Amino acid sequence: MKDIKICVIGLGYVGLPLARLFSTKYPTVGFDMNQSRVNELMTGHDCTGEVNDKMLQEAIKRKHLICTTDLEEIRKCNFYVVAVPTPVDENNRPDLCPLWGASETVGKVISKGDVVVYESTVYPGVTEEECIPVVERVSGLVYNQDFFAGYSPERINPGDKEHTVEKIRKVTSGSTPEVANLVDDIYNSVLVNGTHKAPSIKVAEASKIIENSQRDVNIAFMNELAKIFNAMNIDTQDVIEAAATKWNFIKLKPGLVGGHCISVDPYYLIQKAQVYGVLPRVMFAARRLNDGMGEYVAEQVIKCMNKKGILVKDARILILGITFKENCPDIRNTKIVDIYSTLSEYTTNITVYDPWADIETVKREYNIDVTNVLSESDKYNAVVLGVAHSCFSDLDIKSLVENNGIVYDVKGVLPRDIIDGRL
């Protein structure tokens, strides 16, 4: 492995941490089509917060990591890793355009004997049925004769400072036994907790997509329970605490399912299953239930306001947080937007406060005005804690509420004596 030179294509939440990690052992080039993103990284700053600026600056200063938009800079690499997004379209159908584009990029620079490994979450078969043919067409090379492939699904958890990329146990695979060993060895060389070598690329692909689908289904069950118990005027979290005293009860909480993984990836398997004549009823129902939870929360807020005689029309409402999860700037598929949209049908006096979110990005993506600074002198008819950022624990939330106002806790982290409702 002395002559390995790695290229990571896609420098987002997945690609950049991986590129930085690989650069500790191998010459590594990070490639991205976004010039402003590359410029930012080369100054030693990562706006996603996934890579510590000091670590990034050290890697760049020592020239172990270079970020670029120039194809010529990656032509001399021989181990290509694709880490681009795999979104869905407006009809929740898999959008493989980023993968096809990345595969074209690989095809333009790949040489005989090189390996391309995909990390993007896909349904079983995408690597060899959708991506590799693109590489073959563009490069003119023959798969498993001139070049080889692998699949190692990403397991990045945005904002998680405990399960960082070097500590994650990775699944690996390869298109031949020899390449599977090579891919496994390279990943093993930079990981603290090693790897699990899957018997095939399709098995590795399937393993990733069921990780997120399982979580989606489990959360959907808890959300359904929350709806049932709320209708019965029973506190869901009290029920969970009681049930959790049994040794084999799996303790989970209801909540909003956003982000680029759990709220998206199941659709890939749902569509592929139907191609094979299987209707994935449980997965489909879970997706539909979880996608509707933002609107449900808004309706619960309105219900709490009505009980206190607060006029919802033109009410002053504060939403704390808009990112899809705590202590993270990622706003992809955030369900806080659904809360905002439902409440905005009744009032335009909604303030969204989130010190983690990029104001311009939120405005561009959702046309919602967000503030990074909160005036504690302002008072609201309702305060909704949507995201459990650590910084919110320092807020005197009750002081933000007018007399007879309400506090609704989506995350179930606030003291019971200050809230009027929680999921």
Side-chain angles (χ1 to χ4, degrees):
M1 295 189 289
K2 292 182 180 180
D3 298 325
I4 294 294
K5 185 174 183 180
I6 294 175
C7 167
V8 177
I9 298 174
L11 296 175
Y13 283 88
V14 173
L16 180 64
L18 190 64
R20 202 285 311 172
L21 180 61
F22 276 136
S23 74
T24 61
K25 289 287 182 70
Y26 309 98
T28 303
V29 182
F31 180 86
D32 200 287
M33 298 291 289
N34 187 336
Q35 186 66 59
S36 61
R37 171 66 169 164
V38 167
N39 292 343
E40 173 198 63
L41 295 177
M42 288 304 290
T43 66
H45 175 64
D46 170 29
C47 66
T48 70
E50 290 303 302
V51 174
N52 177 280
D53 283 358
K54 183 178 180 181
M55 296 169 65
L56 179 60
Q57 291 163 11
E58 181 181 354
I60 291 173
K61 182 179 180 180
R62 297 172 66 182
K63 295 185 178 180
H64 292 174
L65 173 64
I66 299 171
C67 301
T68 184
T69 60
D70 186 358
L71 277 177
E72 294 306 312
E73 293 277 359
I74 66 174
R75 195 175 294 279
K76 293 182 180 179
C77 295
N78 51 23
F79 192 88
Y80 295 91
V81 180
V82 175
V84 297
T86 45
V88 293
D89 64 18
E90 63 275 8
N91 297 312
N92 293 320
R93 293 176 302 197
D95 178 6
L96 298 178
C97 290
L99 271 178
W100 290 331
S103 297
E104 287 185 356
T105 297
V106 172
K108 292 175 183 177
V109 296
I110 199 168
S111 301
K112 285 190 175 183
D114 292 354
V115 176
V116 54
V117 177
Y118 289 85
E119 289 229 354
S120 306
T121 304
V122 294
Y123 58 76
V126 167
T127 298
E128 293 174 292
E129 296 167 12
E130 296 285 348
C131 299
I132 295 305
V134 175
V135 178
E136 285 187 306
R137 173 176 55 80
V138 175
S139 68
L141 301 178
V142 179
Y143 178 49
N144 275 345
Q145 178 178 311
D146 299 322
F147 75 96
F148 306 88
Y151 184 82
S152 180
E154 60 91 0
R155 281 177 167 169
I156 293 293
N157 186 23
D160 189 339
K161 301 308 178 185
E162 179 182 355
H163 303 96
T164 51
V165 63
E166 66 271 12
K167 298 177 184 176
I168 296 171
R169 189 179 182 196
K170 292 272 287 176
V171 174
T172 65
S173 62
S175 56
T176 69
E178 294 77 18
V179 170
N181 289 336
L182 173 65
V183 172
D184 196 63
D185 288 344
I186 290 174
Y187 275 93
N188 248 316
S189 68
V190 295
L191 296 173
V192 173
N193 294 313
T195 62
H196 172 89
K197 186 168 62 175
S200 70
I201 287 176
K202 283 187 176 180
V203 167
E205 291 170 324
S207 73
K208 168 57 181 178
I209 206 160
I210 71 165
E211 291 173 22
N212 291 335
S213 297
Q214 181 187 67
R215 292 173 67 195
D216 196 36
V217 169
N218 285 342
I219 296 171
F221 175 59
M222 303 312 292
N223 282 336
E224 189 164 63
L225 291 179
K227 286 187 172 185
I228 294 170
F229 294 137
N230 284 342
M232 300 172 69
N233 199 29
I234 299 173
D235 189 285
T236 305
Q237 293 196 43
D238 284 348
V239 175
I240 293 171
E241 289 296 329
T245 59
K246 187 165 189 270
W247 65 90
N248 59 353
F249 180 81
I250 302 172
K251 188 178 179 180
L252 300 170
K253 293 172 62 176
L256 303 180
V257 182
H260 192 68
C261 293
I262 304 178
S263 65
V264 174
D265 297 344
Y267 287 118
Y268 276 71
L269 191 55
I270 286 171
Q271 186 194 37
K272 194 61 175 180
Q274 293 176 86
V275 172
Y276 285 88
V278 179
L279 181 61
R281 290 182 175 86
V282 173
M283 291 174 59
F284 186 78
R287 277 286 72 240
R288 184 168 56 182
L289 195 153
N290 285 340
D291 271 348
M293 287 305 292
E295 182 179 357
Y296 173 78
V297 165
E299 291 168 351
Q300 292 299 299
V301 171
I302 293 169
K303 183 177 179 180
C304 287
M305 294 174 73
N306 286 336
K307 283 183 175 181
K308 279 199 169 184
I310 303 171
L311 186 64
V312 181
K313 187 179 186 321
D314 298 326
R316 295 180 303 280
I317 299 176
L318 171 65
I319 298 177
L320 296 174
I322 197 169
T323 62
F324 93 88
K325 66 180 297 186
E326 63 275 6
N327 305 323
C328 172
D330 196 344
I331 62 167
R332 291 176 296 177
N333 301 317
T334 173
K335 295 305 174 186
I336 305 297
V337 170
D338 295 342
I339 299 176
Y340 177 94
S341 297
T342 302
L343 292 175
S344 65
E345 294 178 14
Y346 300 87
T347 177
T348 58
N349 299 322
I350 302 176
T351 299
V352 181
Y353 168 57
D354 195 325
W356 278 89
D358 181 78
I359 294 173
E360 293 180 1
T361 303
V362 175
K363 182 67 174 178
R364 183 175 63 252
E365 293 296 323
Y366 299 112
N367 196 29
I368 294 175
D369 293 314
V370 174
T371 180
N372 294 145
V373 180
L374 183 65
S375 172
E376 296 192 21
S377 63
D378 292 337
K379 303 294 182 181
Y380 302 90
N381 301 117
V383 175
V384 180
L385 178 71
V387 187
H389 292 317
S390 297
C391 57
F392 289 161
S393 63
D394 297 327
L395 283 178
D396 183 0
I397 292 178
K398 198 63 179 177
S399 70
L400 298 170
V401 184
E402 281 193 344
N403 291 335
N404 204 42
I406 69 110
V407 176
Y408 190 90
D409 183 7
V410 176
K411 298 297 292 184
V413 296
L414 296 178
R416 184 174 300 198
D417 61 346
I418 74 165
I419 65 172
D420 298 273
R422 62 181 180 181
L423 190 58

